[in-house]
Amino acid sequence: MSTEDLERRVEDIVARLEKRIEDLEKSLDQRFSASGSPLPPLTPPHRRSRDNSFWGIALLVVGLILLANHFDWFYFEIPWIPAALIILGLYLILENR
């Protein structure tokens, strides 16, 4: 297969793809203009204010636990990271019920 044949095939594929996209645009325009109602504006979902700060607080708590564990501030033999992740998981499950 020569370079010219490959270029011609790629051009054919691109031309067919552009034609299909144009046809799709026309059919969508006809469909929505026939219904008489314009498309509703796209708006992001409403976020609660505590959702914005939750992950910051969660990362802060996990970071403090890691730092405290590094400086041996804990005298207990509890695996703090798995315990913190389990508590965080339980909180998220209960919050999203």
Side-chain angles (χ1 to χ4, degrees):
M1 180 181 284
S2 69
T3 307
E4 294 174 4
D5 291 336
L6 183 62
E7 288 177 6
R8 185 176 40 82
R9 284 182 144 184
V10 170
E11 288 175 3
D12 290 341
I13 291 171
V14 169
R16 283 187 289 178
L17 183 61
E18 288 175 349
K19 174 74 171 131
R20 290 184 73 183
I21 291 173
E22 288 175 10
D23 291 342
L24 180 63
E25 286 177 358
K26 288 178 185 177
S27 67
L28 287 175
D29 285 341
Q30 290 172 356
R31 183 176 181 185
F32 287 111
S33 64
S35 67
S37 63
L39 289 173
L42 296 175
T43 58
H46 178 67
R47 295 186 61 124
R48 296 178 295 201
S49 62
R50 76 170 175 229
D51 287 345
N52 295 335
S53 61
F54 171 76
W55 286 109
I57 293 170
L59 289 173
L60 179 69
V61 168
V62 170
L64 287 173
I65 290 173
L66 284 172
L67 182 66
N69 192 27
H70 177 73
F71 286 120
D72 293 328
W73 292 347
F74 299 125
Y75 297 110
F76 305 114
E77 294 297 324
I78 298 173
W80 289 102
I81 300 303
L85 292 176
I86 290 169
I87 291 169
L88 178 64
L90 286 173
Y91 173 76
L92 289 174
I93 289 170
L94 294 174
E95 181 70 23
N96 292 326
R97 282 176 96 195

